[in-house]
Amino acid sequence: MGDAIPMSDYTTIVARVAQMMSILLYLNHVIACFFFATSKLTEGEKTWTDEYLLTTKHWTDQYAVALHWSLTQFTPASMDVQPQNSVERCYAISVVIFALVGFSYVVGDISSCLTQLRNMSETSSKEFRKLRNFMRMHKVPRQLALRVTKFAEHAYSKQVKAMPMSKVTLLSLVSEQLLGELTFEMNKPHLIIHPLFENMEHNATLVLQRICTKALVTKQLAHNDFLFVAGEQATYMHFLSSGMLLYKKGDTHKEYVQANEDWVTETALWLQSWELLGTAEALGESVIVSIDADIFLHVVESSSNSLIRMVQMYARRFAVWLNELPLHELSDVIQGDLVTDKIRSFIPETLVRSASGSTPT
């Protein structure tokens, strides 16, 4: 269940405590049932049900007394019900011996879980206390300090929930191909909105996995943070995985970049030099998935000849389309809902089939 249901560290630890408590209650239920059974195994001898006048009581009363007795064998608590014959006494001794080990194990596990919960709370409190002290010592303006702290709280809570790959030590032991598959599956929804990457998913999956492993960079932006400003050189192609960007070009041109719908600065992949025409600013906390242009080209150059030809043909057609646009229509943002079909037409179908292993027509 823990593998099937996505849970935070806090929820996992609480679930572990609940699991150990359930095991403890189930064991006590079984022990109570056997304790009640001992009163039926000794014919002619005095039993605990006789001694405490329980033989005429309803079975629920008898079970409650037996369960109470069972629980006291695992804890320092006591009760007035005691074994009355040798069979009951031997059973009680065996339960006490078992409880010495079983109870210690269960209590130790629960204590360990509670200690982890306490440590998690103390760690976050300590780090945020250090951050506030840092702001105060360096006399950071109050408004800026508030923005930094607020974003740090947001980023910390998101990191705890999402758990980035860098925090999982065991992933360093995984093979490059498996790591590529994992990274690709995590980022696929953001990339395949672009027709070229959608085609590569079906026809050059391994190459796309290598791109995800080597060329992909994830960054977070706080509200009003800039992704880029006009006049800079484009070196990354950007996808928005969450949040929203406001793109401004000049005094009048504005565009909104939607998550998993639009993409930004694709020109960085295909042109030797592209000076950014406008400024992209985050509206609220946003997460950006970026592809390093140089590493992307290096990975593609190491792939099959058919895939290289396909990408070259796409790049030429994209550049021709860009040159044909009027100057006032040029933008660093590509609105996926408007031009996806046009972008898809740049992909040569025959080379796509060839890259996937079919015979080109």
Side-chain angles (χ1 to χ4, degrees):
M1 288 178 63
D3 291 338
I5 303 173
M7 296 189 295
S8 65
D9 288 346
Y10 181 86
T11 309
T12 302
I13 294 172
V14 172
R16 176 64 177 170
V17 173
Q19 178 189 20
M20 298 308 297
M21 292 295 295
S22 301
I23 291 172
L24 186 61
L25 288 173
Y26 177 72
L27 287 174
N28 279 278
H29 162 74
V30 174
I31 291 171
C33 291
F34 275 104
F35 183 57
F36 179 76
T38 58
S39 65
K40 305 298 181 183
L41 298 176
T42 52
E43 294 293 336
E45 294 188 41
K46 191 176 185 179
T47 66
W48 66 273
T49 53
D50 297 328
E51 174 66 19
Y52 300 102
L53 306 176
L54 294 170
T55 51
T56 58
K57 297 283 187 179
H58 192 265
W59 72 267
T60 54
D61 295 328
Q62 296 173 345
Y63 173 75
V65 173
L67 182 61
H68 187 185
W69 177 87
S70 173
L71 288 169
T72 59
Q73 309 310 302
F74 282 76
T75 64
S78 61
M79 69 177 301
D80 54 355
V81 173
Q82 298 296 330
Q84 299 300 315
N85 56 58
S86 58
V87 174
E88 293 175 358
R89 186 74 60 186
C90 289
Y91 179 69
I93 292 171
S94 63
V95 170
V96 170
I97 293 173
F98 170 75
L100 288 173
V101 178
F103 183 68
S104 299
Y105 172 76
V106 173
V107 171
D109 202 320
I110 293 174
S111 299
S112 175
C113 291
L114 295 176
T115 301
Q116 289 182 50
L117 288 176
R118 191 182 305 112
N119 289 340
M120 288 170 59
S121 177
E122 289 178 354
T123 300
S124 61
S125 299
K126 181 180 178 181
E127 291 302 319
F128 281 107
R129 189 164 56 251
K130 285 166 60 178
L131 178 61
R132 286 191 291 270
N133 289 338
F134 174 84
M135 299 292 182
R136 190 164 49 252
M137 289 172 60
H138 291 272
K139 299 180 180 179
V140 177
R142 179 179 175 79
Q143 197 64 28
L144 177 58
L146 187 62
R147 287 178 57 203
V148 171
T149 304
K150 185 177 179 181
F151 182 75
E153 290 173 352
H154 168 78
Y156 182 82
S157 63
K158 196 162 188 176
Q159 177 178 295
V160 169
K161 292 178 183 177
M163 190 177 295
M165 295 178 68
S166 58
K167 296 292 183 181
V168 186
T169 308
L170 289 177
L171 287 179
S172 62
L173 305 178
V174 176
S175 68
E176 182 179 343
Q177 182 170 337
L178 282 175
L179 196 61
E181 291 180 26
L182 178 61
T183 310
F184 172 65
E185 287 300 326
M186 291 169 58
N187 293 283
K188 179 170 69 172
H190 318 310
L191 299 181
I192 62 174
I193 62 170
H194 191 291
L196 178 64
F197 295 120
E198 183 184 19
N199 268 283
M200 291 178 70
E201 180 198 3
H202 300 298
N203 304 305
T205 308
L206 187 58
V207 176
L208 192 54
Q209 288 173 3
R210 288 173 180 164
I211 291 171
C212 289
T213 305
K214 299 178 179 179
L216 226 58
V217 178
T218 302
K219 67 172 70 173
Q220 293 186 350
L221 299 179
H223 180 58
N224 293 333
D225 279 359
F226 292 103
L227 177 61
F228 55 78
V229 296
E232 294 180 341
Q233 290 295 317
T235 55
Y236 288 88
M237 178 182 181
H238 305 287
F239 295 88
L240 189 63
S241 66
S242 66
M244 182 182 289
L245 296 178
L246 173 62
Y247 175 78
K248 297 179 181 178
K249 188 182 75 169
D251 298 327
T252 57
H253 182 88
K254 290 184 180 180
E255 294 181 72
Y256 291 97
V257 182
Q258 307 286 342
N260 297 326
E261 183 176 308
D262 311 320
W263 57 91
V264 186
T265 61
E266 183 183 350
T267 47
L269 300 186
W270 316 124
L271 304 181
Q272 263 190 339
S273 176
W274 177 263
E275 187 176 291
L276 294 167
L277 304 174
T279 299
E281 179 183 357
L283 299 179
E285 286 78 12
S286 305
V287 179
I288 311 295
V289 176
S290 306
I291 298 178
D292 186 296
D294 292 335
I295 301 177
F296 169 82
L297 294 176
H298 177 73
V299 173
V300 171
E301 286 170 355
S302 305
S303 62
S304 64
N305 290 332
S306 57
L307 180 64
I308 293 174
R309 290 198 300 274
M310 182 190 76
V311 173
Q312 287 175 338
M313 184 71 72
Y314 173 87
R316 291 193 192 101
R317 293 176 177 178
F318 180 88
V320 169
W321 170 68
L322 207 62
N323 286 327
E324 291 174 350
L325 288 176
L327 189 60
H328 69 276
E329 291 186 14
L330 286 175
S331 173
D332 300 306
V333 176
I334 294 184
Q335 300 287 346
D337 56 332
L338 300 178
V339 298
T340 294
D341 292 336
K342 183 69 175 179
I343 296 293
R344 186 174 284 112
S345 69
F346 299 159
I347 304 172
E349 290 298 324
T350 55
L351 289 179
V352 167
R353 287 194 290 271
S354 175
S356 64
S358 346
T359 304
T361 55

